[in-house]
Amino acid sequence: MGASGIGSVRPICSTIIGLLLLGAVFLWAVEPLDAQLKSSLPKPTGEIVLTVTGENLQTNAPGRAEIDWQMLKGLGVRTLK
């Protein structure tokens, strides 16, 4: 391969490196927002009637979401067909 073959690889490598850096910056910027959204569930004011655990969950207690009747009623009703 001649010098022209090497020259055509450099722009591709630069583009790939640039995209990887852009992705890293995006993930760095979004992580705090993601953490804030996961912890934005309000605390229950009444008796807890439902406790939910799992990954990628909005929480209001350590490692879980605690829900009272008022919060449950506020979710509304949805029908799946």
Side-chain angles (χ1 to χ4, degrees), residues 3 7 11-12 18-19 24 28 30 34 36 43 45-46 52 54-55 67 72 76:
I12 294 171
L19 289 173
W28 173 77
V30 170
D34 187 42
Q36 181 182 3
K43 296 221 179 255
T45 56
V52 182
E55 292 184 33
I67 300 171
L72 199 56

Side-chain angles (χ1 to χ4, degrees), residues 46-77:
E47 181 183 354
I48 297 166
V49 295
L50 178 65
T51 300
V52 182
T53 60
E55 292 184 33
N56 300 319
L57 178 71
Q58 289 185 345
T59 62
N60 58 8
R64 65 187 182 274
E66 297 178 337
I67 300 171
D68 63 11
W69 275 116
Q70 193 64 27
M71 294 168 69
L72 199 56
K73 288 178 186 177
L75 294 175
V77 178

Side-chain angles (χ1 to χ4, degrees), residues 1 13-14 26-27 35 48 52 61 72:
M1 209 176 249
C13 289
S14 295
F26 176 76
L27 290 174
I48 297 166
V52 182
L72 199 56

Side-chain angles (χ1 to χ4, degrees), residues 5-43:
I6 293 173
S8 63
V9 172
R10 284 192 179 136
I12 294 171
C13 289
S14 295
T15 301
I16 291 171
I17 291 170
L19 289 173
L20 289 172
L21 288 173
L22 181 63
V25 169
F26 176 76
L27 290 174
W28 173 77
V30 170
E31 187 176 349
L33 176 61
D34 187 42
Q36 181 182 3
L37 290 174
K38 285 181 183 175
S39 64
S40 65
L41 190 65
K43 296 221 179 255

